[in-house]
Amino acid sequence: MVAYSFKAMFGPQVSALTKRQTVRADRKRHARPGEPIQLYQGMRTRHCVKLVDPDPICSRVRSIEIAVTDLMPVAIVSIAIEGIPLQREEIELFCQADGFAPSRVREFWLLGETARENMGSFWLHHHGIGRFEGVLIEWEPA
């Protein structure tokens, strides 16, 4: 079984199952479709909390590329899933689904007017500029 840990800003969204995806860097083993996954906040700390019980089921794992720059306000230049670039409206919907809607992250220093701006700020802070390659993991309730 595979486990993923989330920052505090995503904990309530994961628990409520309004956030049903995560973007992760490549690693030795990710969840596979049909497999239960464990979702935590603060994993490997004394504040660890399991966010969903029973464990949700991985529904899909796809490759993703995210290009980020500090030269434009939205920071997210492009997102491509399985090599297919998302259009402007699709990027905003993706960023909302990934937990960056302005109404959901205001208390966590993200003050952008759009989900794309918020995700861009987050990615610049945590990953820096450049191209990120990894996987998009999606799940459904058990």
Side-chain angles (χ1 to χ4, degrees):
M1 187 170 303
V2 178
Y4 296 100
S5 187
F6 294 86
K7 297 192 178 302
M9 67 186 285
F10 299 118
Q13 295 180 66
V14 173
S15 291
L17 294 171
T18 56
K19 177 176 168 58
R20 294 186 187 185
Q21 67 181 36
T22 187
V23 174
R24 300 296 165 128
D26 287 326
R27 69 180 196 190
K28 187 175 181 179
R29 169 129 158 50
H30 277 292
R32 297 179 183 132
E35 178 177 59
I37 56 176
Q38 294 181 326
L39 306 175
Y40 292 94
Q41 178 179 314
M43 203 161 65
R44 296 188 183 96
T45 73
R46 62 186 171 124
H47 304 290
C48 182
V49 175
K50 189 170 187 182
L51 297 171
V52 181
D53 194 27
D55 295 333
I57 305 300
C58 177
S59 57
R60 198 159 47 168
V61 179
R62 301 184 284 170
S63 64
I64 189 167
E65 292 179 18
I66 301 173
V68 180
T69 183
D70 59 357
L71 300 177
M72 45 191 277
V74 295
I76 302 281
V77 176
S78 65
I79 297 176
I81 299 173
E82 294 189 331
I84 301 169
L86 301 182
Q87 300 300 315
R88 181 182 311 141
E89 298 80 18
E90 293 171 316
I91 291 174
E92 180 63 19
L93 291 173
F94 176 88
C95 295
Q96 289 174 12
D98 207 43
F100 291 98
S103 61
R104 295 184 177 164
V105 295
R106 291 246 186 263
E107 64 186 279
F108 295 99
W109 63 265
L110 293 173
L111 304 173
E113 293 181 19
T114 66
R116 184 176 182 172
E117 286 180 61
N118 288 330
M119 185 172 174
S121 295
F122 179 89
W123 276 79
L124 277 175
H125 181 75
H126 292 283
H127 301 281
I129 60 172
R131 195 174 96 196
F132 170 88
E133 293 182 17
V135 292
L136 172 63
I137 301 149
E138 299 167 276
W139 58 87
E140 295 294 330

